[in-house]
């Protein structure tokens, strides 16, 4: 009972805090985390000060019913995945049970609820940090389970003996307090090591697959990235840029030379070229080229199927080849992000997709439900559109006359050397004009210099029926990238130019990670820019003024962030994405390494040194497999050593003692066991009915020196066995 107060409650409090922290990290539910932490800490303080009183059953039932109503409302509103909604309910149930706690049954329910909460969290994240929290949680939960079993046995024993609690003095339990904690920790470590060994074995032998019990568990809409579709509203990209979740890792080679953070990457996703203006319900969006056809791509000749590894037959080769190795997390879309002008693509796993020559975009037939890896070779120049299907300039001028008037301002569109308005000169020409590049550059420069970037548009709902682009140009003069790109595209179209808005990601040199040797793409890198058709082809323009990024910090903080990204990247590749192909690669790698060792040790050591400088996913997989093998060997040695000591205890006659004392004495009395085995090899066996001293004295027929040595070792046995000597 005293041991329970000292160890069990603190361990349970720590277990619940760890479980709620893991759930909050998986679901970004920090409000739930704060509620849980406050509830647990207050309960612990009340218990420690002796002021705790259990909640009445009626009040506990009312709180539980209120939690059910809240969770049902959250589920119906679609605010989160079903798993996370259930997890929130489990947090509420834990708090109710903790404050209602009266007996051992409540502690058992808290253990089960906490375990279910971590299961729910593990379904919603593959983060390395969560994996570390889960590992610590499993060790602690095993410790709590062993303590709970001990508590149950102690309570039953106390009830059977009918000993009042006040008679259990500290002096009477002092011996248990000194040794029981250490014994429980040793038992926990031993069981955990065996469990880890089996878990690693199952992980290595039964790889993760696309289906089945070892496959990923996914739920519709459980991915953080949204906003990329055929219809993009003026708040969609802004919502993405407020998140700092990792979207992809992109390793780039220019003409087979690694790009080490020296370039700014524009990863194209979708192009959109028709602005609808304010629509019913106060929303507005860009209507993508052939939006209806995109939903039925197979029936339209403007889209061509692209098999993995197949070259794209549209467009010519550029002066440079940009090869991108991309690891992309699910984005709730079928969009494939890449540099402009894709010429060849291959994916892992093999995924069917189609290519749109009209705007040079790639999309999969089905939304990827899991992380994918693909390689794209591009020219890094916008695709030349065979046929312009954008809006008619005259129609744009009629529908958005104020935008057209703004574009005609001399300070916006610019003037030539004779002082003539470039917008008027451009309108007088048909098709693609030599003035297009100059006019587009002037509009880009004006927006950059006279408008400011912000995500805070709290007054956006107060414009009534006014067009948002007009409000941006004439009233706000500030906004995020959709407003800048949308305004420039519409102004260019009103002047008769072929222009389109592009949605994708903009990766600055600061995104480059020296550890992964790739660019890290975040949600906050979502961006919109403009492409304008000029006599030189499509050219990219970015009218958005400078953006601030709170992820850029001091050099040390940046290095630490890059190191964490590197660990996350390799954890995702070597652990989360471990499948049958990865297992086959590990086996082939091990066979190759063994052959190399046998063939040339010097070559192997050189390869090991090179791997230490630049570790690969395959190399890390082999390293983890070796660690698993060493862990299994360690567990085997531990079990064998324990069995050997117990056998020794039986031979020397201490098998009736408790197991812990058997193990301790068997280590110290190894000399006497060796003496008995030496005598047995010469047909001198101690009968079970004789004590060690009686057996030693019966050997008086031996030579005097040998006889004296046997008696001296026997007396030493008695000193260790009964006198407490070491």
């Amino acid at each position: 009972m005293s041991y329970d107060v000292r160890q069990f409650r603190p361990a349970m409090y720590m277990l619940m805090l760890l479980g709620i922290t893991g759930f909050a990290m998986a679901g970004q539910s920090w409000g739930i985390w704060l509620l849980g932490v406050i509830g647990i800490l207050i309960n612990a303080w009340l218990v420690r000060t002796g002021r705790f009183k259990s909640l009445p059953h009626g009040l506990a039932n009312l709180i539980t019913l209120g939690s059910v109503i809240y969770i049902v409302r959250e589920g119906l509103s679609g605010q989160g995945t079903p798993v996370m909604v259930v997890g929130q309910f489990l947090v509420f149930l834990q708090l109710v049970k903790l404050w209602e706690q009266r007996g051992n049954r409540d502690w058992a329910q808290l253990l089960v609820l906490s375990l279910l909460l971590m299961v729910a969290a593990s379904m919603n994240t593959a983060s390395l940090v969560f994996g570390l929290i889960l590992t610590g949680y499993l060790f602690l939960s095993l410790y709590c389970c062993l303590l709970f079993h001990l508590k149950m046995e102690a309570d039953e024993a106390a009830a059977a003996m009918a000993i009042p609690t006040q008679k259990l003095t500290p002096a009477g339990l002092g011996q248990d307090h000194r040794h029981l904690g250490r014994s429980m920790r040793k038992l926990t470590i031993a069981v955990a090591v065996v469990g880890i060994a089996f878990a690693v074995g199952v992980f290595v032998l039964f790889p993760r697959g696309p289906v089945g019990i070892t496959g990923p568990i996914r739920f519709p809409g459980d991915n953080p990235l949204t906003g990329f579709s055929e219809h993009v509203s003026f708040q969609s990209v802004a919502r993405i840029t407020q998140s700092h979740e990792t979207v992809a890792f992109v390793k780039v080679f220019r003409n087979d030379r690694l790009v080490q953070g020296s370039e700014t990457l524009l990863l194209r996703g979708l192009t959109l070229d028709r602005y609808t203006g304010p629509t019913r319900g106060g929303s507005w969006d860009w209507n993508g080229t052939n939006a209806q056809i995109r939903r039925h791509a197979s029936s339209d000749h403007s889209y061509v199927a692209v098999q993995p590894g197949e070259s794209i037959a549209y467009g010519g080769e550029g002066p440079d080849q940009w090869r991108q190795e991309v690891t992309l997390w699910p984005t709730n879309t079928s969009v494939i992000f890449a540099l402009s002008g894709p010429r060849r693509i291959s994916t892992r796993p093999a995924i069917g997709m189609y290519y749109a020559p009209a705007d040079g975009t790639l999309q999969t037939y089905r939304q990827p439900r899991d992380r994918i890896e693909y390689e794209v070779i591009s020219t890094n120049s916008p695709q030349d559109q065979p046929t312009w299907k954008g809006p008619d300039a005259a129609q744009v001028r009629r529908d958005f006359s104020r935008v057209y008037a703004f574009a005609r301002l001399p300070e916006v569109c610019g003037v030539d050397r004779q002082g003539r308005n470039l917008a008027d000169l451009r309108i007088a020409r048909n098709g693609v004009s030599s003035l297009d590049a100059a006019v587009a550059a002037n509009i880009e420069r004006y927006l950059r210099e006279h408008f400011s970037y912000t995500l805070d548009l709290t007054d956006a709902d107060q414009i009534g029926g006014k067009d948002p682009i007009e409000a941006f140009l004439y009233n706000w003069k500030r906004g995020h990238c959709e407003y800048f790109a949308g305004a420039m595209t519409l102004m260019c179209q009103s002047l008769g130019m072929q222009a389109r808005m592009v949605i994708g990601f903009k990766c600055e040199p600061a995104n480059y990670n020296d550890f992964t040797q790739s660019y890290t793409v975040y949600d906050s890198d979502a961006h919109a820019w403009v492409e304008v058709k000029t006599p030189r082809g499509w050219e990219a323009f970015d009218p958005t003024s400078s953006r601030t990024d709170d992820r850029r910090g001091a050099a040390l903080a940046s290095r630490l962030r890059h190191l964490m990204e590197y660990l996350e990247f390799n954890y995702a590749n070597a652990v989360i994405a471990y499948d049958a192909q990865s297992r086959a690669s590990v086996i082939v790698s091990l066979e190759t390494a063994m052959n190399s060792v046998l063939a040339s040790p010097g070559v192997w050591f050189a390869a090991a040194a090179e791997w230490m400088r630049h570790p690969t996913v395959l190399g890390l997989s082999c390293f983890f497999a070796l660690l698993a093998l060493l862990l299994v060997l360690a567990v085997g040695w531990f079990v064998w050593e324990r069995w050997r000591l117990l056998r020794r205890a039986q031979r020397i006659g201490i098998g009736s003692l408790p197991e812990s004392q058997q193990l301790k004495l068997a280590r110290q009395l190894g000399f006497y066991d060796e003496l008995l085995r030496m005598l047995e090899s010469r047909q001198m066996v101690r009968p079970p009915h004789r004590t060690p001293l009686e057996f030693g004295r019966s050997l008086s027929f031996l030579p005097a020196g040998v006889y004296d040595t046997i008696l001296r070792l026997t007396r030493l046995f008695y000193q260790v066995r009964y006198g407490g000597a070491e």
Side-chain angles (χ1 to χ4, degrees):
M1 297 293 291
S2 175
Y3 186 80
D4 161 51
V5 174
R6 290 191 178 187
Q7 299 291 337
F8 181 67
R9 281 182 180 270
M12 279 299 301
Y13 286 137
M14 182 62 66
L15 184 73
M16 289 186 290
L17 287 173
L18 206 57
I20 292 176
T21 301
F23 173 78
M25 179 172 295
Q28 300 297 309
S29 306
W30 299 112
I32 293 292
W33 176 82
L34 184 61
L35 174 65
V37 170
I38 292 176
I40 292 172
L41 292 180
I42 293 178
N43 182 276
W45 177 75
L46 292 176
V47 170
R48 184 172 180 82
T49 57
R51 303 175 184 177
F52 174 74
K53 293 183 179 180
S54 300
L55 281 179
H57 285 301
L59 180 58
N61 292 336
L62 284 177
I63 296 175
T64 303
L65 181 60
S67 303
V68 171
I69 295 173
Y70 170 78
I71 293 301
V72 170
R73 185 180 64 83
E74 288 290 306
L76 294 177
S77 64
Q79 295 296 322
T81 64
V83 171
M84 300 310 293
V85 172
V86 172
Q88 293 180 24
F89 182 63
L90 292 175
V91 173
F92 292 139
L93 279 184
Q94 282 190 69
L95 293 177
V96 171
K97 279 296 174 186
L98 181 64
W99 283 84
E100 190 191 15
Q101 190 274 132
R102 289 181 172 84
N104 289 331
R105 183 185 65 179
D106 297 313
W107 287 118
Q109 292 174 351
L110 282 171
L111 277 169
V112 174
L113 290 173
S114 182
L115 180 60
L116 291 176
L117 182 65
M118 285 300 282
V119 171
S122 63
M123 293 180 180
N124 203 67
T125 183
S127 168
L128 173 61
V129 176
F130 176 80
L132 297 176
I133 292 177
L134 179 61
T135 302
Y137 175 88
L138 293 177
F139 276 93
L140 185 58
S141 63
L142 175 60
Y143 184 63
C144 288
C145 288
L146 295 174
L147 288 179
F148 180 69
H149 174 72
L150 178 65
K151 180 182 185 303
M152 292 285 292
E153 295 294 330
D155 290 348
E156 291 179 3
M161 292 184 293
I163 300 177
T165 304
Q166 58 269 24
K167 292 187 178 181
L168 296 173
T169 62
L173 297 174
Q175 186 72 12
D176 290 340
H177 281 202
R178 283 194 296 272
H179 300 291
L180 190 55
R182 183 174 61 182
S183 300
M184 294 299 294
R185 287 190 292 271
K186 287 182 178 179
L187 179 60
T188 301
I189 293 173
V191 176
V193 168
V194 174
I196 290 174
F198 278 101
V200 171
V202 171
F203 173 80
V204 173
L205 297 177
F206 301 96
R208 178 177 179 271
V211 295
I213 59 174
T214 60
I217 300 176
R218 295 289 184 184
F219 295 90
D222 63 348
N223 301 304
L225 180 63
T226 58
F228 289 96
S229 65
E230 290 85 359
H231 301 277
V232 176
S233 70
F234 278 102
Q235 298 298 333
S236 57
V237 178
R239 284 194 296 269
I240 302 172
T241 57
Q242 297 179 49
S243 169
H244 296 315
E245 293 293 326
T246 301
V247 177
F249 289 94
V250 183
K251 182 176 289 188
V252 183
F253 298 85
R254 182 177 184 178
N255 297 327
D256 294 328
R257 294 187 63 181
L258 179 66
V259 177
Q260 298 179 314
S262 58
E263 304 282 347
T264 296
L265 305 182
L266 290 176
L267 301 175
R268 302 172 83 251
L270 290 174
T271 62
L272 308 114
D273 58 14
R274 291 182 182 272
Y275 180 58
T276 62
T279 59
R280 186 173 56 184
S283 63
W284 45 86
D285 57 24
W286 284 89
N287 191 5
T289 305
N290 302 325
Q292 296 298 325
I293 298 177
R294 284 186 178 171
R295 301 186 181 92
H296 310 284
S298 59
S299 63
D300 184 78
H301 296 294
S302 299
Y303 291 81
V304 293
V306 180
Q307 299 303 322
E310 182 179 76
S311 296
I312 299 173
Y314 288 84
E317 297 296 330
D320 297 323
Q321 276 197 345
W322 297 73
R323 178 163 58 90
Q324 309 127 69
E325 298 176 359
V326 185
T327 301
L328 178 68
W329 269 254
T331 61
N332 266 343
T333 71
S334 58
V335 178
I336 295 295
F337 300 95
L339 294 177
S340 303
R343 292 293 174 266
R344 185 180 180 87
I345 184 168
S346 58
T347 62
R348 179 182 180 273
I351 297 176
M353 61 184 63
Y354 57 89
Y355 172 73
D359 53 7
T361 57
L362 287 162
Q363 296 190 48
T364 59
Y365 287 112
R366 296 179 180 178
Q367 291 184 10
R369 303 299 299 160
D370 203 0
R371 189 197 64 155
I372 61 173
E373 298 176 1
Y374 58 93
E375 180 182 285
V376 183
I377 298 178
S378 305
T379 62
N380 200 23
S381 59
Q383 177 67 39
D384 189 17
Q385 184 170 328
T387 304
W388 172 248
K389 299 182 180 180
D392 178 68
Q395 184 67 38
V396 172
R397 288 194 288 269
R398 288 194 300 269
D399 294 340
F400 307 103
S401 56
R402 296 197 68 196
V403 175
Y404 168 58
F406 193 92
R408 292 183 66 246
L409 295 175
E411 61 270 24
V412 176
C413 64
V415 295
D416 63 5
R417 295 179 179 178
Q418 289 77 33
R420 294 176 298 179
N421 189 300
L422 292 182
D424 295 336
L425 295 176
R426 176 60 188 86
I427 294 173
R429 302 185 183 184
N430 295 322
V432 178
S433 170
S434 57
L435 295 174
D436 291 349
V439 174
N442 290 335
I443 295 176
E444 176 193 47
R445 182 170 54 253
Y446 183 85
L447 291 177
R448 277 178 167 271
E449 295 176 354
H450 294 83
F451 287 68
S452 59
Y453 179 87
T454 181
L455 291 174
D456 181 18
L457 289 176
T458 54
D459 53 352
D461 296 332
Q462 302 177 6
I463 64 174
K466 184 182 296 185
D467 184 88
I469 289 185
E470 292 182 4
F472 168 73
L473 293 175
Y474 287 96
N475 303 109
W476 301 333
K477 298 193 180 295
R478 59 187 176 87
H480 36 77
C481 58
E482 298 130 296
Y483 286 95
F484 284 88
M488 178 175 174
T489 304
L490 195 58
M491 283 192 288
C492 289
Q493 290 180 350
S494 69
L495 300 179
M497 301 161 59
Q498 298 182 20
R500 59 195 183 194
M501 184 169 73
V502 184
I503 305 295
F505 291 98
K506 181 179 182 180
C507 300
E508 305 283 356
N511 288 62
Y512 186 76
N513 188 325
D514 293 322
F515 293 98
T516 61
Q517 294 186 317
S518 62
Y519 288 82
T520 305
V521 185
Y522 305 93
D523 283 351
S524 54
D525 294 319
H527 194 50
W529 63 94
V530 182
E531 290 179 352
V532 177
K533 184 69 173 293
T534 70
R536 296 187 297 271
W538 287 91
E539 295 185 32
F541 296 88
D542 189 1
T544 306
S545 56
S546 299
R547 301 191 298 171
T548 58
D549 193 342
D550 56 7
R551 286 185 288 105
R552 313 294 185 251
L556 178 60
S558 178
R559 293 286 293 177
L560 292 176
R561 176 170 56 84
H562 286 172
L563 176 61
M564 194 62 198
E565 290 169 358
Y566 168 75
L567 296 176
E568 287 270 8
F569 177 74
N570 286 285
Y571 173 72
N573 279 317
V575 179
I576 300 300
Y578 182 79
D579 53 14
Q581 184 173 349
S582 300
R583 181 182 63 179
S585 299
V586 170
I587 295 174
V588 171
S589 177
L590 289 176
E591 292 178 349
T592 304
M594 293 179 64
N595 293 334
S596 300
V597 170
L598 296 175
S600 176
V603 174
W604 184 83
F605 283 115
E610 178 65 21
W611 180 82
M612 291 296 292
R613 289 193 295 268
H614 303 291
T616 62
V617 174
L618 183 58
L620 288 174
S621 301
C622 297
F623 178 73
F624 287 132
L626 180 60
L627 287 182
L629 178 61
L630 293 177
L631 184 61
V632 171
L633 293 176
V635 172
W637 177 86
F638 173 83
V639 174
W640 177 82
E641 180 69 15
R642 188 181 183 88
W643 174 81
R644 188 177 65 86
L645 291 175
L646 292 176
R647 284 285 304 274
R648 175 184 292 175
Q650 294 293 330
R651 285 195 302 268
I652 62 180
I654 59 174
S656 60
L657 296 177
E659 188 175 276
S660 59
Q661 294 187 28
Q662 291 185 44
L663 296 173
K664 179 181 178 181
L665 289 174
R667 293 188 182 94
Q668 299 185 33
L669 296 175
F671 69 94
Y672 187 73
D673 180 54
E674 292 178 10
L675 172 65
L676 293 180
R677 295 175 66 180
M678 185 181 299
L679 294 174
E680 287 176 0
S681 67
R682 290 164 175 79
Q683 288 75 46
M684 289 174 281
V685 181
R686 181 177 73 89
H689 64 277
R690 285 189 176 183
T691 65
L693 187 58
E694 290 174 345
F695 173 67
R697 288 173 177 171
S698 68
L699 303 177
S700 57
F701 60 90
L702 294 173
V706 176
Y707 178 75
D708 292 338
T709 301
I710 292 175
L711 289 182
R712 183 165 54 86
L713 292 176
T714 302
R715 293 190 183 99
L716 185 59
F717 167 81
Y718 277 88
Q719 291 180 16
V720 175
R721 171 69 178 84
Y722 300 105
E726 294 290 332

